[in-house]
Amino acid sequence: MKYSFNWLKELSGTKNSPEKVVEFLTMRAMEVEGVEKIGGIPDGVVVGKILEIKKHPNADKLQITKIDVGANNYLPIVCGAWNINVGDMVPVALAGTKLPNNMEIKAAEIRGEKSHGMLCAEDELGLGKDHGGILILSKNAKVGEKVSKYLGSSDTVIEIKVLPDRAHDALSHVGVAREITALENKKFDYDFDGLKLPGKKSKVLSVKIEDKKLCPRYIGAVMTDVKIQSSPLWMQERLKACGIKAINNVVDATNYVMLELGSPLHAFDADKLKVKSEKLNIVVRRAKNKEKLTLLDDSQIELNNSDLLITNGATPLALAGIMGGKDSGISDTTKTIVIEAANFNAVNIRRTRTRLNIKTESSDRFEKDLDPNLAEKAMTRIIEILEHTADAKLEGIVDVYPNKIKPWKINLDLNYVNNLLGENVPTKEIKKILAALGISATIQPYKAVCVISTFRVDIKTPEELIEEIGRVWGYEKIKPQALIEPVEPAKINEQVFFERKVKNILVGLGFDEMYNYSFYSRRDTEICGLNDVKHYELANPMNPEQELVRASLVPNILKDVRQNLKYFQSFDIFEIGRVYYPNNNKVEEKRMLVMTTVLEKDKSTETFFHLKGASEDLLEHLGINDANFNLDIKCPSVAHSGRTAGIRINNENIGIIAEINPTVLAKYKIKNRVAICEIDLEKLLAETPKTKTYQSIGKFPTVTRDISMIVPEGIAYAQIKNLVQKTGGDLIHDVQLFDYFEAKKSLAIRISLSAQDRTLASGEVDEVMRKIVLKLEKELRVEVRK
Amino acid sequence: MLEHKINDIKKQVQSDVLEIKNGAELFELEKKYLGRKSEFTNILKNLKDLSPEERKKVGELANRTKREIEKIIATKKQELDGAVDLEKERIDVTLPGARRGVGHLNPISIVRNEIEDIFTSMGFEIADGPEVETEFYNFDALNIPADHPARDMQDTFFLKDDKLAMRSQTSAMQARFMQKHKPPFRIIAPGKVFRNEATDATHEHTFYQFEALVVGENTNVGNLKHIAEVFFSEFFRTDVKVRLRPSYFPFTEPSFEFDITCTMCGGVGCKGCRGGGWLELGGAGMVNQNVFTAAGYPRNKYQGFAWGFGFERLAMMKYKIDEVRLFHGGDLRFVKQF
């Protein structure tokens, strides 16, 4: 909310500058979001006396004046207004002055006559809307003095971010002024808390509250002989400073009191409260389902049974606490008005205004739970104001307030204050601080019995009192203190450190880390064949591109690929993140790794093996040497069906490695081939040995033998390798592929053989090799070249 | 006479060997001085013609000299074995190296690792919670009941079903952790959080926070200040002071806005802190007793502090990054710089 410093100053009596007050508030009370100086007549506008008025020789509508601006300066000024007379004191904008409307005054020739300045109208000085003629100043004004000495005060607008805990009382000038006096260790001059309604009962108004839970209090006041006109300039200035447009004296008064005290008010045209008789009726009731109302802003809303209406018993007049109806507002001819000062249930106001998506100054305050006693203060104030600004007369008041809210008590343990803050605040100080905030504290041994004024709706617990004490006392006085609990070694979060290890290995392997959003679009699920996976949907997405909560890391990393191909020809990237989907009414949240490889277009055939190698390196470094890349999985449609393998460790399927299906790539407009490897990190951690075990380095020599062969269609390398290992048993130290031709599928392997306890005799090796060749030929129909 | 001859041969070998440039020449040299037709072999052959005394004397010298010559040749041979024409093999060492291509962590990960390491060293456990969170843990357990205006303080991404939301703060893990652990404890919980907010150079709808939660029987505001000062001084490798300003969060009471002295100017005021000397980092406070009771602790038995600070802000300060959307932008030109 925007606050006028002049207003705050008047209420608090502060002698400090706006800057100092802002500093106080920031450090001890609430966050100031902005400070802006406004208004004020520029220094270049001075008092001038009209010495002479002549007709302009070349223009019928203009006159030439001679103005005394003091210090023997007599300026010729061309003027188009006719309300001036010789001897008048007028505001003169000297050449070089910039007026509030941004007009810059220059010495000029107007139709051939010199003009050294400008005589100003009210609007040109930013004082009002009047452009009827030059503003005539008092005869007592002194020639040559700045006009700002006589007119148009400047102000500083302070914008404060009032958080929900203080919205009950501090969305008002009185609330913030109270803070200022407390922080300056002073007392409030004017007794706003003592404002009591005039005792006059209305003879014509009846108020009925049908739902007392939704409307704990309703005060109606009938005012007659109202003269609708503009508000006084000072009131308009204050409203303007707070960002509220002046309309007329009645509407302005409701806004003024709201800004002053924080209580929204509403004014009805009394005629609209009549139903078939001269009696004025107010009935506060729940709306009927589908009941309709046209609001002040011309919008038509449809209500339901949980919304609260102000009616005249027959027709709805206003949406309670949110906005008035179009038909019940006051007009220029209104003579009798009914002012409403009420209290409404905060939760209900919030529900209605959220559902209808309406936000007003009124709903903003009522939804933060106001003190019902505030309505009385506000009503007292507006009656007082309207008697002055609209010549209105109070006919009488009706106040329905069944359950009176009274101040409440909190016992505050004084040791707790110091124990929580870690700072010894003297008891005397505690009492003083609380008193300044409207909380009276009676000190007893070790405790203070605190009586909370009803406007501090937020203070319900000792901790809330401690906060008040701490902030006013000054948080900066609290000294840093080491924890007294003994330090124990921190338990290691295995998953976190495992993921970090995986990241470090991948970085070592040349992979760059991506962080992607957890959302993607419906189109992404269609392209990537994820339509069958149940997704969580955002109720309020930023845009359709981010409508679904990701159940896979693949779509977003493919978009990373597309983006980076603009600048790089080949790269390896990865992301570690979570995917989420519903599973039996529970949230399944998985930690996943996705690795992606893109190579230059002419190396596209190597893409898959490049990534496979990296994934094998990763697993090997983690201590997993027996990962099984298999064809036992159902190939997802995002993958290339001829280039996909499942990854299995100890019979647990932990992931998949594949080239992306070229049709998917085409839809993302990716021209290179892309390989992707997706691994479930919780499963991977479970299969990762906690520690590595040393394998003794063989003392006996290793013998190598090569076999080259032609392999029939449909036989996988893994089958050959498995067969060699199975047949050779413990003697097989290693099997390596060293030559491979895709055409005709010919390949060559090098087998290393050794034993732990002896040097292998060549006969022994020959025998094993003979068996291997035999098996290859027999079981896999491999043609071994001899 | 013969002795002179033998010594001359040795001298000759010593000087000749200096001229040898390759194996072939050395072979010739060896042949020349020790070969079957060499003078030296001749001398040895003719030893038998000498008197016994002479024979003994000259023989000894000859054999010794032979061994010496052999040694000279062997030494030269070793020298020649690794020898190449270094000048011929000169390369342009300013040509680019063959890069293996090491990868890069996203700066959020780097910052996260540093934070985790510092807190681990201070005895903090690293905890964690789900990113898709129930309304209970994201709001109710944090003292933000339904229809409370504080729900507006963070624009939350709600899911269409099941009363779920993308967690709007790491504090959502507080009650989860406390339900399973008894004080005293000290933890941090780094993680991804989500806010339905318009994005710009300093605002992101997805970002990372780290929650700190320290609970004991006497934990106080002074402890919060201390831990924070130790951590930030370590993180920025400079002496950092903290400042608490009043604020409001439903899950803490008292609540603070948390500032640190500007790490660029040390608090005197500079461009980075817009002259104020302080940098705003986030929210903190003493755990609200309602949060303890929601987690099943008795009211007013424990006291604790908590904070939630953003990684991005720290990374931006550390690396002078001026655009927050880069972290999730997926742009290698960004990531490769770290």
Side-chain angles (χ1 to χ4, degrees):
Chain A
M1 175 178 154
K2 287 179 171 169
Y3 297 78
S4 148
F5 181 72
N6 290 346
W7 197 346
L8 292 173
K9 188 172 172 165
E10 182 186 295
L11 292 168
S12 67
T14 181
K15 299 262 185 322
N16 282 312
S17 65
E19 292 73 24
K20 190 82 202 160
V21 168
V22 163
E23 193 192 314
F24 264 168
L25 287 172
T26 306
M27 293 310 299
R28 305 281 165 93
M30 37 195 74
E31 191 177 336
V32 174
E33 288 192 302
V35 178
E36 191 195 353
K37 292 226 183 299
I38 58 156
I41 296 171
D43 288 351
V45 180
V46 299
V47 178
K49 188 175 180 181
I50 304 181
L51 300 177
E52 213 180 278
I53 304 177
K54 287 192 305 190
K55 277 208 62 172
H56 191 293
N58 305 323
D60 288 347
K61 290 187 175 168
L62 299 177
Q63 307 185 93
I64 303 164
T65 63
K66 187 175 166 192
I67 311 286
D68 176 5
V69 290
N72 293 325
N73 250 331
Y74 305 99
L75 304 176
I77 294 176
V78 174
C79 175
W82 294 83
N83 68 326
I84 47 172
N85 294 300
V86 171
D88 282 347
M89 296 294 195
V90 290
V92 181
L94 303 174
T97 306
K98 200 171 177 188
L99 293 176
N101 61 4
N102 280 331
M103 184 197 282
E104 209 175 325
I105 306 301
K106 287 177 189 147
E109 262 187 31
I110 300 175
R111 299 272 189 110
E113 292 291 326
K114 279 188 181 141
S115 185
H116 283 249
M118 187 174 89
L119 308 188
C120 303
E122 200 178 83
D123 66 335
E124 286 155 346
L125 297 175
L127 294 175
K129 285 178 234 165
D130 191 9
H131 192 66
I134 303 303
L135 179 64
I136 310 295
L137 304 169
S138 151
K139 293 278 179 216
N140 303 328
K142 266 183 83 181
V143 167
E145 286 213 313
K146 291 173 193 162
V147 171
S148 59
K149 275 193 88 168
Y150 301 93
L151 273 178
S153 50
S154 62
D155 199 353
T156 302
V157 177
I158 301 175
E159 192 164 2
I160 298 175
K161 187 174 172 186
V162 177
L163 297 173
D165 64 329
R166 295 304 300 277
H168 320 288
D169 75 303
L171 278 173
S172 69
H173 281 73
V174 166
V176 171
R178 197 193 311 277
E179 282 296 324
I180 297 170
T181 51
L183 300 177
E184 291 182 353
N185 235 327
K186 285 188 308 205
K187 265 201 164 159
F188 230 34
D189 262 358
Y190 185 89
D191 184 16
F192 282 94
D193 301 330
L195 288 174
K196 286 277 171 295
L197 279 176
K200 217 168 160 186
K201 262 232 140 84
S202 174
K203 296 190 176 72
V204 291
L205 176 67
S206 83
V207 173
K208 198 176 141 201
I209 303 175
E210 287 189 359
D211 192 321
K212 298 194 169 63
K213 202 183 140 245
L214 298 189
C215 178
R217 186 176 197 178
Y218 197 101
I219 314 172
V222 183
M223 297 199 85
T224 60
D225 303 294
V226 177
K227 260 198 225 113
I228 306 287
Q229 58 194 22
S230 290
S231 300
L233 221 51
W234 63 266
M235 189 184 277
Q236 293 191 30
E237 272 184 8
R238 284 192 173 173
L239 292 175
K240 197 173 143 197
C242 300
I244 290 181
K245 227 173 93 187
I247 293 171
N248 61 44
N249 51 355
V250 174
V251 176
D252 293 355
T254 60
N255 283 329
Y256 185 83
V257 174
M258 178 182 74
L259 293 174
E260 184 176 70
L261 283 158
S263 174
L265 295 166
H266 192 69
F268 296 104
D269 183 333
D271 284 342
K272 307 291 161 55
L273 271 59
K274 294 174 185 166
V275 189
K276 287 181 195 158
S277 81
E278 285 305 299
K279 274 292 267 182
L280 306 180
N281 305 300
I282 288 202
V283 177
V284 185
R285 65 159 169 86
R286 284 172 182 262
K288 298 173 193 114
N289 280 329
K290 303 221 164 147
E291 193 167 359
K292 290 192 172 63
L293 175 64
T294 306
L295 297 174
L296 268 177
D297 64 356
D298 286 324
S299 60
Q300 221 205 26
I301 51 169
E302 190 180 286
L303 303 162
N304 70 34
N305 186 244
S306 63
D307 303 324
L308 193 68
L309 286 175
I310 311 298
T311 73
N312 60 11
T315 46
L317 304 170
L319 185 58
I322 300 174
M323 204 189 273
K326 186 179 167 58
D327 298 331
S328 63
I330 54 163
S331 67
D332 288 350
T333 56
T334 301
K335 288 275 177 273
T336 304
I337 59 171
V338 172
I339 309 277
E340 163 196 294
N343 186 268
F344 301 108
N345 177 285
V347 169
N348 202 62
I349 294 283
R350 187 177 150 82
R351 281 188 189 151
T352 296
R353 80 112 188 120
T354 317
R355 196 190 77 244
L356 297 171
N357 198 18
I358 311 173
K359 199 167 144 62
T360 61
E361 293 278 347
S362 177
S363 71
D364 246 13
R365 287 175 172 79
F366 278 124
E367 73 169 282
K368 310 255 164 68
D369 198 4
L370 297 180
D371 170 18
N373 296 326
L374 185 60
E376 176 169 355
K377 299 177 205 173
M379 183 60 100
T380 312
R381 271 295 278 160
I382 194 167
I383 291 169
E384 196 174 284
I385 288 170
L386 286 176
E387 284 171 349
H388 283 97
T389 65
D391 293 335
K393 294 189 175 61
L394 177 67
E395 183 275 329
I397 287 166
V398 178
D399 180 7
V400 183
Y401 187 18
N403 299 307
K404 246 186 128 127
I405 304 293
K406 295 199 178 107
W408 53 91
K409 275 186 195 166
I410 298 173
N411 286 327
L412 181 63
D413 176 345
L414 293 171
N415 282 334
Y416 186 33
V417 177
N418 298 332
N419 197 20
L420 190 64
L421 292 176
E423 170 71 21
N424 286 317
V425 186
T427 307
K428 220 172 69 192
E429 285 296 326
I430 292 178
K431 193 177 158 74
K432 211 160 111 191
I433 289 166
L434 292 177
L437 295 169
I439 298 159
S440 76
T442 312
I443 307 296
Q444 294 178 3
Y446 307 112
K447 73 169 185 181
V449 180
C450 302
V451 179
I452 318 296
S453 297
T454 58
F455 62 82
R456 284 308 298 268
V457 179
D458 59 311
I459 299 183
K460 297 275 163 65
T461 64
E463 291 80 18
E464 279 146 357
L465 284 170
I466 294 171
E467 176 167 54
E468 298 300 295
I469 296 162
R471 69 179 175 87
V472 178
W473 170 250
Y475 290 139
E476 74 279 1
K477 293 184 187 135
I478 299 173
K479 282 171 230 51
Q481 297 150 53
L483 288 169
I484 52 167
E485 279 82 11
V487 181
E488 280 167 28
K491 248 180 258 150
I492 294 301
N493 184 323
E494 275 195 60
Q495 188 74 38
V496 166
F497 282 93
F498 177 68
E499 282 172 21
R500 195 202 278 202
K501 186 173 182 181
V502 170
K503 284 183 185 184
N504 288 340
I505 297 170
L506 289 173
V507 165
L509 288 169
F511 283 76
D512 289 315
E513 188 187 18
M514 298 283 116
Y515 271 55
N516 285 311
Y517 294 137
S518 294
F519 314 118
Y520 49 54
S521 70
R522 218 166 277 284
R523 193 179 115 85
D524 288 322
T525 62
E526 281 155 20
I527 296 176
C528 295
L530 296 162
N531 340 31
D532 295 343
V533 179
K534 194 145 166 37
H535 280 78
Y536 283 119
E537 278 179 58
L538 290 182
N540 51 344
M542 299 281 298
N543 52 52
E545 285 302 299
Q546 304 188 26
E547 187 179 3
L548 301 178
V549 184
R550 69 181 179 189
S552 163
L553 298 184
V554 174
N556 285 341
I557 207 151
L558 286 177
K559 286 183 263 180
D560 291 338
V561 167
R562 176 179 58 195
Q563 182 192 346
N564 284 305
L565 275 170
K566 286 184 215 154
Y567 309 100
F568 299 89
Q569 296 185 312
S570 70
F571 46 84
D572 298 304
I573 54 178
F574 77 99
E575 179 180 7
I576 285 182
R578 303 194 196 171
V579 299
Y580 334 75
Y581 50 89
N583 186 8
N584 285 329
N585 291 323
K586 277 178 124 177
V587 187
E588 188 80 42
E589 191 165 315
K590 284 190 170 176
R591 297 152 184 273
M592 301 295 292
L593 160 68
V594 63
M595 300 158 64
T596 303
T597 288
V598 181
L599 295 181
E600 289 87 351
K601 280 197 205 105
D602 58 346
K603 292 187 190 151
S604 67
T605 49
E606 296 164 36
T607 310
F608 179 90
F609 292 105
H610 187 106
L611 181 63
K612 187 183 176 191
S615 63
E616 286 169 319
D617 285 339
L618 167 68
L619 296 175
E620 185 267 342
H621 200 88
L622 290 171
I624 300 166
N625 293 309
D626 47 2
N628 172 296
F629 290 77
N630 60 72
L631 302 173
D632 309 341
I633 58 152
K634 188 171 164 275
C635 178
S637 69
V638 70
H640 186 309
S641 59
R643 300 180 175 182
T644 297
I647 306 173
R648 190 188 301 137
I649 304 166
N650 307 330
N651 293 323
E652 180 75 68
N653 293 314
I654 60 138
I656 179 171
I657 181 165
E659 229 183 80
I660 296 291
N661 189 327
T663 63
V664 172
L665 295 176
K667 282 179 187 140
Y668 280 120
K669 302 202 161 49
I670 297 170
K671 300 231 166 69
N672 300 44
R673 290 298 177 100
V674 177
I676 209 152
C677 174
E678 213 183 3
I679 289 174
D680 181 325
L681 285 174
E682 277 161 77
K683 285 186 181 170
L684 180 61
L685 172 60
E687 300 306 329
T688 298
K690 296 273 168 279
T691 175
K692 293 182 180 177
T693 308
Y694 164 73
Q695 304 290 320
S696 100
I697 299 162
K699 290 192 203 86
F700 299 94
T702 302
V703 185
T704 61
R705 293 289 166 90
D706 296 348
I707 308 178
S708 79
M709 59 192 105
I710 294 168
V711 180
E713 201 62 36
I715 296 295
Y717 171 72
Q719 290 171 280
I720 294 166
K721 187 176 171 182
N722 286 343
L723 189 68
V724 170
Q725 281 173 325
K726 219 175 92 190
T727 312
D730 287 346
L731 295 184
I732 304 296
H733 178 67
D734 192 20
V735 182
Q736 291 286 342
L737 178 75
F738 73 92
D739 213 356
Y740 181 76
F741 297 102
E742 183 66 47
K744 254 178 98 192
K745 195 152 186 174
S746 80
L747 57 81
I749 57 174
R750 176 159 296 160
I751 304 172
S752 316
L753 304 100
S754 67
Q756 287 292 331
D757 53 354
R758 65 191 188 280
T759 300
L760 289 178
S762 76
E764 202 176 354
V765 173
D766 290 344
E767 178 56 21
V768 173
M769 288 307 294
R770 193 188 61 78
K771 273 191 201 154
I772 286 172
V773 169
L774 203 69
K775 285 250 185 186
L776 285 173
E777 286 172 336
K778 230 171 126 186
E779 292 186 15
L780 299 177
R781 304 191 166 278
V782 161
E783 186 187 320
V784 175
R785 297 185 191 184
K786 289 172 183 157
Chain B
M1 219 10 232
L2 263 178
E3 282 137 305
H4 275 152
K5 224 172 189 175
I6 290 168
N7 282 329
D8 282 349
I9 289 170
K10 188 175 131 194
K11 275 179 198 148
Q12 196 65 40
V13 171
Q14 276 169 337
S15 78
D16 278 7
V17 82
L18 295 176
E19 305 298 318
I20 299 299
K21 287 201 184 63
N22 55 46
E25 285 174 16
L26 187 68
F27 180 73
E28 286 306 318
L29 180 116
E30 189 177 2
K31 203 165 121 190
K32 180 175 167 195
Y33 291 105
L34 295 179
R36 269 190 293 142
K37 291 176 180 162
S38 67
E39 201 181 347
F40 199 86
T41 310
N42 228 7
I43 293 171
L44 288 173
K45 269 188 197 156
N46 297 330
L47 279 178
K48 58 179 189 317
D49 302 337
L50 298 177
S51 66
E53 289 123 63
E54 279 280 297
R55 196 188 318 160
K56 195 182 172 205
K57 209 164 127 200
V58 177
E60 255 171 43
L61 176 71
N63 279 320
R64 193 168 69 241
T65 305
K66 189 184 177 192
R67 281 197 301 277
E68 279 170 3
I69 292 173
E70 278 168 353
K71 200 174 168 200
I72 289 167
I73 290 170
T75 308
K76 186 69 187 178
K77 198 168 186 179
Q78 265 177 19
E79 203 182 302
L80 283 178
D81 267 353
V84 285
D85 186 339
L86 302 182
E87 203 42 47
K88 245 187 196 163
E89 296 201 346
R90 182 174 285 282
I91 55 170
D92 179 356
V93 295
T94 67
L95 286 172
R99 303 281 291 266
R100 319 287 168 92
V102 74
H104 305 81
L105 286 177
N106 189 295
I108 294 178
S109 291
I110 303 174
V111 165
R112 178 181 175 146
N113 290 348
E114 283 182 41
I115 291 170
E116 287 176 353
D117 290 346
I118 296 169
F119 277 103
T120 302
S121 77
M122 293 200 283
F124 279 63
E125 185 178 337
I126 297 167
D128 204 357
E131 290 169 9
V132 169
E133 191 49 281
T134 62
E135 284 195 29
F136 175 77
Y137 286 110
N138 199 55
F139 294 118
D140 303 66
L142 290 172
N143 197 30
I144 316 171
D147 297 309
H148 192 284
R151 287 209 177 180
D152 283 352
M153 287 173 77
Q154 301 149 358
D155 296 307
T156 308
F157 282 115
F158 290 97
L159 304 191
K160 275 191 179 165
D161 42 359
D162 299 324
K163 294 202 131 232
L164 294 170
M166 302 306 293
R167 68 173 170 193
S168 52
Q169 59 226 340
T170 43
S171 309
M173 56 71 59
Q174 285 188 6
R176 285 184 181 274
F177 185 87
M178 289 194 281
Q179 283 171 337
K180 288 189 185 138
H181 299 80
K182 260 188 82 177
F185 57 75
R186 47 185 93 171
I187 59 167
I188 60 160
K192 200 174 191 177
V193 298
F194 310 84
R195 302 264 174 96
N196 190 353
E197 282 180 352
T199 62
D200 62 27
T202 53
H203 295 88
E204 236 315 4
H205 64 69
T206 296
F207 55 99
Y208 281 77
Q209 277 189 331
F210 70 108
E211 185 82 6
L213 180 65
V214 175
V215 180
E217 289 189 3
N218 295 294
T219 314
N220 62 38
V221 179
N223 299 145
L224 160 60
K225 277 191 165 182
H226 175 78
I227 294 288
E229 282 189 359
V230 171
F231 164 71
F232 283 107
S233 297
E234 187 67 24
F235 182 81
F236 287 110
R237 309 250 192 287
T238 176
D239 195 20
V240 172
K241 292 267 168 287
V242 309
R243 180 173 87 169
L244 306 177
R245 287 180 287 117
S247 189
Y248 168 72
F249 304 103
F251 34 103
T252 49
E253 192 72 43
S255 301
F256 315 112
E257 286 301 325
F258 183 99
D259 304 335
I260 59 169
T261 41
C262 177
T263 52
M264 278 166 268
C265 65
V268 264
C270 69
K271 230 175 107 188
C273 54
R274 291 201 211 102
W278 295 94
L279 297 167
E280 209 178 311
L281 274 193
M286 304 306 293
V287 180
N288 193 307
Q289 291 296 327
N290 289 343
V291 174
F292 286 144
T293 54
Y297 292 172
R299 183 172 285 275
N300 288 115
K301 180 166 168 58
Y302 299 114
Q303 295 174 191
F305 71 76
W307 75 57
F309 299 147
F311 283 171
E312 282 84 350
R313 186 80 209 273
L314 296 178
M316 287 169 90
M317 284 160 71
K318 199 156 193 155
Y319 300 113
K320 308 205 175 4
I321 298 165
D322 58 1
E323 165 62 82
V324 71
R325 287 169 294 191
L326 286 168
F327 295 107
H328 281 83
D331 193 332
L332 278 170
R333 293 172 300 169
F334 171 71
V335 178
K336 280 179 181 292
Q337 295 183 32
F338 298 94

